[in-house]
Amino acid sequence: PPYPVTWLTPAPTPIYIAVTLQNNALLPANIAQLVQAAALATFSGNDAAGSVPAGIGLTISGSRYVPQINLIGPAVNIVSIMVALQVAVLSEHVGTGDGATVTFTHTIGSVPVVPGSVVVLAPGVTAADDGNGNITGPGVASGTVNYASGVLNITYSVAPVNTAAITVTYNYANPVGGIVTMGVDQMPTLAAASVVTALV
């Protein structure tokens, strides 16, 4: 007899990790990159503690990332490690071309914005952020985005045509706790740009 077989393919679910460290003069100049590497090692199970890789149905706890980040050096003092799921926003309105205006300013509606997730679209022109707050692309003279405030500025080399819609897509995350639990339909993913370090 025939037996129907079904399965569920989990959707890739981006994770956001916000690390806050006590600021001091002994921290390496590249501390943000070192924290990113430490977090990625723990996330994938390649850290010194041999952590279980993040996966479907598992809990992702900020405290699990403490040992590997502490290994960066004795100057590292962790204030907090918060985790969150990212939320994608598609086609948020930035402005409308009039054939003359080249510079547009917009405040993104949901913050903090995840570095490396911003894409600004106008007819024939696609621009993206570089993870450091700069928006670049063919046809773009200059552009910036402030991930914390959401303020976005973009200047085109040629003014978008009249009535042309200018939109932005991005991810945001609001980490308010140290734990997130993945569902059975969620496969966690982590990019280096989604590990953000703040010094206080």
Side-chain angles (χ1 to χ4, degrees), residues 101-102 125 139 156-160:
T101 302
V102 294
V125 181
Y156 292 96
S157 302
V158 177

Side-chain angles (χ1 to χ4, degrees), residues 40-133:
L40 289 170
T42 299
F43 185 85
S44 62
N46 294 320
D47 59 342
S51 296
V52 175
I56 301 167
L58 297 180
T59 296
I60 297 175
S61 170
S63 62
R64 183 178 294 274
Y65 294 78
V66 169
Q68 192 69 19
I69 293 174
N70 275 333
L71 288 177
I72 293 171
V76 172
N77 294 309
I78 298 172
V79 176
S80 67
I81 301 178
M82 311 292 275
V83 295
L85 301 180
Q86 297 185 35
V87 179
V89 176
L90 305 177
S91 298
E92 183 173 302
H93 181 73
V94 171
T96 303
D98 59 9
T101 302
V102 294
T103 298
F104 295 83
T105 298
H106 171 70
T107 300
I108 289 173
S110 299
V111 293
V113 178
V114 176
S117 71
V118 178
V119 178
V120 184
L121 300 170
V125 181
T126 299
D129 80 294
D130 62 359
N132 294 309

